[in-house]
Amino acid sequence: MGAGHGHVLYRESESPVHRLPPEVKIVAMVVFTIAVVATPRTAFWAFGAYAVLVAVVAALARVGPRWLLSRALIELPFVLFAVALPFLGTGDRVDVLGLRLSEDGLHGAWNILAKGTLGVLASLLLAATTTTRDLIVGLDRLHCPQVLTQIATFMLRYLDVLVGEARRMRVARISRGDDPRFLWQLRGFAAGVGALFLRAFERGERVYLAMLSRGYTGRMPAVWQGDGAASAGQWLVAATVPVLAASIAATALVLT
């Protein structure tokens, strides 16, 4: 039940990006995303420059474009919304391939597609190069509220346990003739969810009492003071991408 397992998006490698401490990667991703969001939607060249930065980081991290693009399909609902904007938008209309489209809608669709895609790709690169445990360690080193990091730690540690418990309950229901595909058996499914909640609550109480008996005081260890914390050189290396992104955003704001 260790929390150090890699999640489904993590790609194990010995790349320079993987070796960076998690806190510097988190800060770099957040600053990069803020720079992308702050860029005017009409600065098309800036989004091309951001895409080059993402491609360079992906190459350094040894993450292929096929892997990135296939996982980026998670933004498909937003893409469908963006495609509808040129047809539903108001204001001046322009002719595009024989269609009368809203000019504001076209700009809005581009804004969503460009910024959303870049943000998703940056998040995927962070997930692909950082294990779940390291993400929490990085947040802890950045002085994220202890309550949040503790909840995330316990959730990750015992999520597999709850999933296994739910799977066993489902097998037990099916072996007794229950078939969750039918709507009239929804009541049994709801009862199973309630039973799973009670089991999880009781297990949580037992775990909490066991932790108290072992000296738990309500705070996780101060891991940002331990070995592995980012050095000044690593902060400087990781600052390359966000500094370039901030420079691009500032230039775009001045020129627009």
Side-chain angles (χ1 to χ4, degrees), residues 126-251:
L126 175 64
T129 58
T130 315
T131 64
T132 306
R133 176 191 175 277
D134 287 341
L135 284 174
I136 297 176
V137 170
L139 292 173
D140 210 8
R141 289 173 178 168
L142 293 172
H143 299 271
C144 182
Q146 282 276 324
V147 173
L148 297 180
T149 55
Q150 289 180 64
I151 291 175
T153 300
F154 298 144
M155 179 190 71
L156 294 171
R157 183 173 293 274
Y158 293 103
L159 184 61
D160 290 341
V161 177
L162 294 180
V163 170
E165 189 75 23
R167 187 179 298 112
R168 288 191 294 271
M169 292 174 62
R170 181 177 181 275
V171 171
R173 284 181 17 236
I174 293 176
S175 65
R176 289 166 175 80
D178 181 62
D179 191 341
R181 294 177 298 175
F182 295 110
L183 183 62
W184 55 81
Q185 294 179 332
L186 185 62
R187 180 179 179 182
F189 174 78
V193 173
L196 180 63
F197 172 78
L198 291 177
R199 293 187 183 186
F201 182 80
E202 293 172 353
R203 185 185 295 271
E205 286 291 322
R206 293 195 299 270
V207 170
Y208 179 69
L209 292 175
M211 292 172 63
L212 288 179
S213 67
R214 289 164 174 80
Y216 178 67
T217 60
R219 292 185 61 85
M220 301 298 288
V223 296
W224 59 82
Q225 297 176 352
D227 296 335
S231 62
Q234 289 171 323
W235 278 107
L236 289 175
V237 170
T240 304
V241 171
V243 167
L244 289 174
S247 302
I248 294 170
T251 304

